[in-house]
Amino acid sequence: MNVQPIQVELRENKTALALTWLDCGTRLLEAATLRRASRAASEIRWQIEGIELAIPPGLDVSAIETIGNYALRLSFLDGHDRGIYPWSYLRELPG
């Protein structure tokens, strides 16, 4: 099964990412949700140490980069740009 969405677009003034999947329609993921869900090493370390990530109000996604055919790299207005989000991981995130 191909888990790659058929469409990826920014919505809500770049504060949400819309992913359209062939088998389950469109899901909207807020930028703040995506930022908290980053699997970058520094973010995982903060989670392990119990450090709460401060999300600025109105956080938006400043850039989207496709990584091969398996993931996205998202850049955020707060400067974070190290997280890679595999398609399968994006499908599992709560909307």
Side-chain angles (χ1 to χ4, degrees):
M1 177 175 83
N2 184 2
V3 297
Q4 188 170 356
I6 57 174
Q7 185 174 8
V8 176
E9 66 178 322
L10 288 174
R11 291 191 185 166
E12 312 290 327
N13 288 330
K14 298 185 177 184
T15 62
L17 182 68
L19 299 160
T20 303
W21 310 93
L22 190 58
D23 62 339
C24 62
T26 301
R27 293 192 56 232
L28 200 61
L29 296 169
E30 299 293 326
T33 299
L34 292 163
R35 179 67 179 84
R36 282 188 190 95
S38 175
R39 303 308 295 158
S42 60
E43 307 306 311
I44 292 171
R45 170 56 57 195
W46 287 14
Q47 292 171 10
I48 290 169
E49 293 177 0
I51 298 170
E52 181 72 25
L53 178 63
I55 303 291
L59 179 70
D60 68 26
V61 177
S62 57
I64 300 172
E65 177 186 354
T66 304
I67 306 296
N69 62 357
Y70 74 95
L72 292 179
R73 175 180 290 130
L74 301 176
S75 298
F76 296 89
L77 191 62
D78 69 353
H80 180 72
D81 64 357
R82 298 291 180 195
I84 294 177
Y85 298 77
W87 299 126
S88 58
Y89 183 59
L90 288 167
R91 280 181 68 107
E92 294 172 10
L93 287 176

